[in-house]
Amino acid sequence: MTTGPSAPDPRPARIDPIRAGLLCRCPNCGEGRLFAGFLKVAGRCEICGFDFTRLNTGDGAAVFVMQIAGAPVVFGALFVQLAYDPPIWAMLAVALPLVAGLSLGLMRPAKGVMIALQMRNHSSPSGED
């Protein structure tokens, strides 16, 4: 015998913030979209209604993405330059699109992870909890 619909649980679901951030999903429920545009954070989750306006990472994700995307490309280009001495135009033709593609591909997941970790750790944008 079933009774009427039960009230939704107000506590957040047990979601892994790294997984939710990498998938660009709501860090509260794991289902709603986190972004309204490429990097514009949505105002609220369309599934659980969680307010994203208080979560702001600033340029934090960009710093990590520059290090993650830049280091292998620069060291790879340095190795190829020293080992094979190709013309500079060939190095630029390979390295610039590679670093641009890696940066654009990593930016959304990195920002999503930073927002999810900020929510999990209950930190405010100003650093005051």
Side-chain angles (χ1 to χ4, degrees), residues 36-82:
F38 181 66
L39 289 176
K40 183 178 186 324
V41 179
R44 304 190 150 274
C45 174
E46 69 265 8
I47 304 296
C48 68
F50 185 78
D51 183 23
F52 296 134
T53 57
R54 63 182 180 89
L55 301 174
N56 183 12
T57 62
D59 291 335
V63 172
F64 289 113
V65 168
M66 283 189 293
Q67 299 298 319
I68 292 169
V73 173
V74 168
F75 288 121
L78 181 62
F79 172 77
V80 169
Q81 184 67 37
L82 292 174

Side-chain angles (χ1 to χ4, degrees), residues 1 3 11 23 49 64 75 92 111 114 118 125 128-129:
M1 180 170 156
T3 59
R11 294 175 297 169
L23 296 175
F64 289 113
F75 288 121
L92 290 174
K111 189 168 183 174
M114 289 196 70
Q118 184 181 12
E128 299 171 6
D129 291 334

Side-chain angles (χ1 to χ4, degrees), residues 12-13 15 20 25-33 45 47-50 119:
I15 304 295
R25 296 291 177 197
C26 171
N28 190 49
C29 68
E31 295 182 19
R33 286 191 215 159
C45 174
I47 304 296
C48 68
F50 185 78
M119 190 204 102

